[in-house]
Amino acid sequence: MSVTPRTVAAIWAGKAAGAASRILRRGGGTALPGLVAERLDPRLVERLGGQLGLGSVIVTGTNGKTTTAHMLSSVARAAGYRPLHNRTGSNLMRGIATALLADAGLAGSLPDADKRLGVFEVDEATLPQAVAALSPRALVFTNLFRDQLDRYGEVDSIAARWRATLKAAPPSTTVVLNSDDPSVAALEAVARGPVLLYGVEDAAAALSEPEHAADSRWCAGCGLEYQYEMVFYGHIGHWRCPGCSLLRREPEVRAESVRFDPAGETTLEAATPAGRATLVFKLGGLYNVYNALGAVAAALALHLPLDAVEKGIAQVAAAFGRQERFEVDGRQVQVLLAKNPTGLNQVLRMLAALPGGKHVLLLLNDDIADGRDVSWIWDADFELMTADTVWTVASGRRAEDLALRLKYAGLPHDLPVVKDAEDALDLALREMTPKDTLYVIPTYTAMLEVREILAKRGRTGHYWEENG
């Protein structure tokens, strides 16, 4: 699709809007430029995305989109590609448009277009528009959990939207699915093109009993409750339906051995159609094993070499707010985004496995991007904190709700409640010694706020200025 005068005008207007946003300190211009440009040319993403010589890949799902796309982008660079990636996490159509027009010249052309691969994380509800505009070479589904119920509805509504999207997707698109999530694995039945599955085989990584926060419990085919040979977290595991023929299929990309280092490094031995791979990366938690497997499977779907996969995964750093570390006033601080029960449980379980007492700052907001309904905190297992948490502060716009939940979890009833994020951070830092680490666990908008405070004090850049 050719660039039109309308497209050029949209690019100029979008770039001007982004510059104005940064000059006026109204943010990094991670969405406004695309919003403005799409008003002038609604087909901007299609026109600029069509110039990507190596096509594009889309990553969607409830949790893990940002990290999986981050890892895949790193693998693409290790393979000698020049990825074009919406790395700021702005994953609506306006965010994709912003990423594209940021790299476009004023005449509407992408430089070195023949070497460019689009790597786009996409909001789960925005997927139909993104697939229609980009016709991706590969489409990665990470998982499906309850999240922002007032915006998305229940998981069944998102699953139905995904099925409709796949029925309309090009048959040339390789669909990459998490075999351990029954809601995601069921998409294989409607995929028109090749399917590549990924999952975990290491029984040592399984839980001793299922978590309360399991969101897809009943078979989409016959309605009976799934049975599990092993559960890794939430409803993720080796599942089968006792009433019909649906069951987990052995994945082509699988983690056969997983090891976690107390320092936060993970090593996994993976079997793939291209051979065996040893993946080492500086991120903890089983959920990041799944993110790595999704990136590996996507890379193989794009025919990237296995040595580039190992190199790219090894080089990846934490995406902003996802296990990102800061040093502030001689204290170590780590930010761990948690925005729904399953994601928060994974963060709490990972911290519980680390040695020593923990200092924790929890922040709960209820902005639109967080979801207005915060009742989900009652499905999260804050009880995991009681064994080794030495000090906690509740913060954010719904700090009182959070403190009440923590009281019922068994944490001290008189723990500090400080609604202002910066005041809460100051209090937490005063309670620490230099040998301690402060673990900051925020919802999404709280993460953006506290991350900016930490970046300013730690003399690092804004998240939209980082490479990767």
Side-chain angles (χ1 to χ4, degrees), residues 83-287:
L84 195 158
H85 174 203
N86 57 339
R87 56 186 170 74
T88 64
S90 184
N91 57 24
L92 303 179
M93 290 303 290
R94 65 192 64 167
I96 298 171
T98 297
L100 284 163
L101 70 86
D103 276 24
L106 292 176
S109 298
L110 291 174
D112 298 324
D114 59 326
K115 300 177 183 175
R116 307 305 299 273
L117 171 71
V119 179
F120 301 110
E121 69 155 294
V122 172
D123 173 269
E124 46 269 51
T126 304
L127 186 66
Q129 301 97 297
V131 170
L134 292 167
S135 297
R137 289 174 60 195
L139 177 51
V140 183
F141 292 87
T142 59
N143 46 58
L144 179 56
F145 301 116
R146 272 179 294 156
D147 190 35
Q148 301 184 56
L149 290 177
D150 45 355
R151 178 173 167 232
Y152 294 135
E154 286 288 352
V155 291
D156 291 345
S157 64
I158 293 296
R161 188 174 302 200
W162 287 355
R163 288 194 295 272
T165 301
L166 285 181
K167 290 176 181 176
S172 59
T173 299
T174 299
V175 180
V176 178
L177 301 174
N178 181 349
S179 187
D180 294 348
D181 185 329
S183 295
V184 170
L187 296 172
E188 182 176 12
V190 295
R192 302 173 64 201
V195 172
L196 192 60
L197 300 177
Y198 66 92
V200 172
E201 297 289 339
D202 188 352
L207 299 175
S208 58
E209 58 183 19
E211 293 178 328
H212 173 67
D215 297 329
S216 295
R217 296 175 56 187
W218 293 279
C219 176
C222 70
L224 290 186
E225 188 168 358
Y226 291 122
Q227 295 179 348
Y228 282 82
E229 179 183 344
M230 61 179 89
V231 176
F232 296 115
Y233 66 91
H235 57 259
I236 306 292
H238 291 197
W239 55 274
R240 61 180 291 273
C241 173
C244 65
S245 60
L246 287 178
L247 77 167
R248 172 190 184 265
R249 188 161 73 77
E250 183 179 63
E252 290 86 2
V253 177
R254 51 191 182 272
E256 296 187 336
S257 171
V258 179
R259 298 191 302 277
F260 299 110
D261 183 278
E265 187 172 274
T266 298
T267 302
L268 70 89
E269 303 292 337
T272 82
R276 301 192 65 80
T278 300
L279 305 175
V280 182
F281 49 92
K282 293 181 173 58
L283 294 170
L286 189 59
Y287 61 108

Side-chain angles (χ1 to χ4, degrees), residues 428-449:
L429 292 172
R430 286 198 298 271
E431 292 291 329
M432 297 168 59
T433 69
K435 65 180 178 59
D436 297 322
T437 295
L438 175 65
Y439 298 100
V440 179
I441 306 176
T443 53
Y444 185 72
T445 64
M447 182 273 285
L448 296 179
E449 180 182 4

Side-chain angles (χ1 to χ4, degrees), residues 4-14 33-44 47:
T4 67
R6 187 175 185 175
T7 306
V8 173
I11 291 170
W12 279 67
L35 178 65
V36 170
E38 281 199 301
R39 290 288 174 86
L40 294 176
D41 184 357
R43 302 185 71 178
L44 180 85
R47 295 184 196 283

